[in-house]
Amino acid sequence: FSGVLSAEVLRTLLELQEELAAIKVRAPTSGKEVTLKDVCYAPLNPRQPTLADCCVNSVTQYFQNNATRLAMTATQTDGKKTGTADWRDHLIYCV
């Protein structure tokens, strides 16, 4: 994996998502503070969504938008071969 599917790019995407989720602005006409949860698509909780309810379509969702999960590795044995499974293996398995 390289280019847009490198660990560095995925970590940067996670950071960007966190920054975007934290943005707060004031509506010009009402003066009300508006955040992502006020405008996001939240099909499972449309009336009173929290940030966790927002539907995020991103490759980082395969890791629950969590840098710790992205960095996880596991020892895997396939017959006589033993190796380490990492984010690449997880992504291939999910896709």
Side-chain angles (χ1 to χ4, degrees):
F1 288 82
S2 65
V4 295
L5 283 179
S6 69
E8 180 182 346
V9 168
L10 293 174
R11 282 190 298 273
T12 302
L13 284 173
L14 280 170
E15 290 172 13
L16 178 59
Q17 278 183 215
E18 290 172 6
E19 289 175 23
L20 291 172
I23 290 176
K24 297 177 184 179
V25 297
R26 292 255 174 226
T29 54
S30 68
K32 179 185 174 198
E33 184 177 86
V34 180
T35 65
L36 178 61
K37 72 180 180 107
D38 298 312
V39 297
C40 77
Y41 176 60
L44 299 179
N45 188 11
R47 295 194 198 287
Q48 300 240 337
T50 66
L51 200 53
D53 295 320
C54 295
C55 180
V56 176
N57 294 317
S58 171
V59 68
T60 59
Q61 188 64 38
Y62 289 110
F63 308 98
Q64 292 77 43
N65 296 316
N66 184 303
T68 302
R69 291 178 189 240
L70 176 63
M72 290 174 78
T73 61
T75 302
Q76 184 175 3
T77 302
D78 181 16
K80 296 182 180 181
K81 290 174 64 178
T82 298
T84 301
D86 63 7
W87 67 271
R88 296 171 195 91
D89 301 290
H90 181 75
L91 190 60
I92 288 170
Y93 178 77
C94 290
V95 174

